[in-house]
Amino acid sequence: MAEQSSSEQRSREHSSEQTSREPRVVVVGGGYGGATVAKELDDVADVTLVEPRDAFVHAVGALRAVVDPDWESRVFLPYDRLLRRGRVVQATAQSVTPHEVRFAAAAGAPPHATGTDWGSRSIPADYLVLATGTAYPFPAKFIETDTWVAQARLVRLREALAACDRVLLVGAGPVGLELAGELLSAFPRLGITIVDQAHDVLTTGDYLPELRSSVRAQLEERGVVFELGAPLGYLPPRDVGLFEPFTVETTAGARVDAQLWFRCYGNRPLTDYLDGPLARARRWSGEVSVTPRLNVEGFETVFAVGDITDVPETKRAASAQAHAGVVAANIRALIEGRDPTATYTPAPELVILPLGTDGGASQLLDEEGVRRVLGPEETRRLKGADLYSGRYAELLGVQG
Ligand SMILES: Cc1cc2nc3c(=O)[nH]c(=O)nc-3n(C[C@H](O)[C@H](O)[C@H](O)COP(=O)(O)OP(=O)(O)OC[C@H]3O[C@@H](n4cnc5c(N)ncnc54)[C@H](O)[C@@H]3O)c2cc1C
């Protein structure tokens, strides 16, 4: 509580200081949520976006880039044209308190990273937005911060896939199933085994049985073998995505021979940088506790959006962007001296799950608000064909 009051006092001091200059908004993390909030506030504040990568990563399209090199330009989108007035600082936030972001610069920070005190490696903030998302194993997400390094890894993976005839996917959630669909679109004769300890596919969301059976039937028709109901006894003794024959067994005794494997589970919130009083808002899961206005619990000028929040919903890019809209409205209101009244209500569970360019299934709400399962043709039309790449090229100001 002491920290909270001193934080409020600091916040009041900052607002009187602010009257003489433009308010400084610092957004930490430039994914779907952070890039959206930064762009929405660019006209009303001095915005700094802190992001270690040299390009926005459109993770929703990442699995198609595994098999199709033409997709790399739709997955890695440069930040240069995101902000008209503000700036993107290529750096990793290492310690974040309510009014300061201390960072480590990424190697080879580019010339567009201007406007920051590189000497002290710190950026002051009147308003702070935390948007650092989650880490997920390659190839759904990348640990590489340089686009050319991530792309080189994709090239090596494609070479390995071309030489491979059996792949193991561990995890029958949306990522494992979508990856299987992409792999089979490009390599129709590839043998794929999907192992999961759960007794069915897609067990982590509130999905209708027809959705599960449709996805499973489409993949089985293409030759995918499901080993469900028992975990692997041990993980393959190889790094993911590297070609080398191996054999593993599930605890139920099913044997899987393959030459490549992928870990398709393990979304981990990236919030280790929260420091001082802000660290108390981090939950055991790594998520950050937020209020309906998406303030970090206990802090009027600190907000969080996207996968790191503890909002009870499936983690989605669309939700991160909806959070961004709420936070941008609230910060704009505070800057203009109004009450911040925008709140976020989680949307009902939905999924659009492509299986390559022409397969898949979706669960959406119809006009009466009833949940409906749609088949491959509608799924291709809604998402499978372009994986929303046009929408995010537009957000980043990249011409198609
Ligand atoms: C294969 C795949 C398919 C998906 N398909 C869909 C879909 O169809 N529809 C949908 O709605 N969602 C989809 N999702 C989920 C979606 O990608 C996430 O929900 C979304 O990325 C969350 O956005 P975010 O802004 O919270 O975080 P991210 O997009 O993960 O962005 C976080 C950013 O923060 C940066 N960062 C991390 N740590 C630091 C730090 N210390 N300092 C500074 N910056 C930092 C990262 O580099 C990253 O750029 C998919 C995810 C995957 C993996």
Side-chain angles (χ1 to χ4, degrees):
M1 244 5 238
E3 282 84 358
Q4 189 175 331
S5 350
S6 71
S7 141
E8 279 163 8
Q9 188 188 339
R10 268 201 306 277
S11 152
R12 277 195 295 280
E13 284 161 10
H14 272 256
S15 357
S16 65
E17 194 193 306
Q18 259 174 244
T19 49
S20 55
R21 56 165 174 73
E22 201 169 31
R24 295 165 302 201
V25 174
V26 180
V27 181
V28 185
Y32 295 94
T36 304
V37 85
K39 186 164 182 160
E40 287 197 18
L41 292 172
D42 196 28
D43 67 327
V44 77
D46 177 20
V47 175
T48 301
L49 175 62
V50 181
E51 165 60 54
R53 299 179 197 279
D54 62 4
F56 174 93
V57 177
H58 176 37
V60 175
L63 300 179
R64 188 152 301 161
V66 168
V67 295
D68 184 350
D70 290 347
W71 268 76
E72 287 178 10
S73 61
R74 303 204 213 178
V75 167
F76 300 96
L77 302 168
Y79 282 111
D80 329 27
R81 276 168 281 176
L82 174 69
L83 302 177
R84 210 167 41 79
R85 301 167 69 236
R87 65 206 64 82
V88 180
V89 170
Q90 195 185 348
T92 303
Q94 289 196 316
S95 154
V96 175
T97 51
H99 290 290
E100 184 184 42
V101 173
R102 300 190 68 80
F103 62 89
H112 70 258
T114 54
T116 293
D117 182 353
W118 289 94
S120 69
R121 307 216 154 185
S122 106
I123 310 172
D126 299 311
Y127 301 99
L128 184 65
V129 183
L130 309 173
T132 41
T134 39
Y136 197 95
F138 175 78
K141 287 196 171 178
F142 304 88
I143 51 167
E144 294 80 7
T145 54
D146 290 333
T147 299
W148 74 269
V149 183
Q151 288 175 334
R153 198 170 178 200
L154 283 172
V155 170
R156 280 201 307 278
L157 176 54
R158 277 184 223 114
E159 287 167 1
L161 280 166
C164 169
D165 53 41
R166 288 222 61 88
V167 170
L168 165 67
L169 305 183
V170 185
V175 171
L177 301 170
E178 191 171 331
L179 180 56
E182 294 295 344
L183 293 176
L184 288 169
S185 289
F187 304 98
R189 282 194 290 277
L190 194 63
I192 297 181
T193 303
I194 302 182
V195 173
D196 199 305
Q197 62 193 4
H199 287 274
D200 203 347
V201 302
L202 293 173
T203 52
T204 52
D206 178 18
Y207 301 125
L208 294 168
E210 302 94 282
L211 181 84
R212 297 194 174 103
S213 54
S214 169
V215 169
R216 196 166 160 180
Q218 290 179 55
L219 288 175
E220 278 172 342
E221 216 166 88
R222 298 194 209 175
V224 172
V225 174
F226 285 94
E227 294 292 351
L228 302 175
L232 283 179
Y234 48 93
L235 290 176
R238 307 278 172 264
D239 201 359
V240 294
L242 292 185
F243 182 97
E244 200 169 327
F246 62 85
T247 300
V248 284
E249 277 185 26
T250 68
T251 53
R255 185 185 149 114
V256 183
D257 296 307
Q259 298 118 1
L260 270 180
W261 78 284
F262 298 98
R263 188 153 73 83
C264 304
Y265 62 90
N267 220 15
R268 184 173 57 83
L270 296 171
T271 52
D272 296 352
Y273 54 81
L274 291 175
D275 214 345
L278 275 183
R280 290 199 202 143
R282 184 171 53 223
R283 298 172 52 145
W284 61 269
S285 60
E287 291 174 346
V288 176
S289 297
V290 291
T291 67
R293 290 176 189 173
L294 300 179
N295 284 99
V296 172
E297 198 84 56
F299 300 91
E300 285 178 12
T301 59
V302 183
F303 296 83
V305 297
D307 282 8
I308 61 167
T309 63
D310 68 347
V311 176
E313 62 185 351
T314 299
K315 305 300 181 195
R316 299 174 59 240
S319 312
Q321 288 195 283
H323 298 174
V326 167
V327 167
N330 284 335
I331 293 180
R332 187 178 285 273
L334 287 165
I335 288 172
E336 292 171 354
R338 293 179 284 113
D339 281 342
T341 53
T343 55
Y344 179 77
T345 310
E349 189 81 68
L350 62 84
V351 67
I352 304 177
L353 183 63
L355 298 174
T357 48
D358 56 2
S362 310
Q363 177 177 308
L364 298 175
L365 290 186
D366 67 14
E367 282 136 18
E368 276 89 47
V370 178
R371 296 191 298 171
R372 295 266 180 249
V373 173
L374 307 178
E377 178 47 37
E378 292 99 329
T379 302
R380 190 197 68 76
R381 196 167 35 75
L382 288 168
K383 177 179 163 193
D386 95 318
L387 303 176
Y388 312 134
S389 54
R391 188 185 299 177
Y392 294 104
E394 195 178 319
L395 174 71
L396 273 290
V398 176
Q399 302 308 314

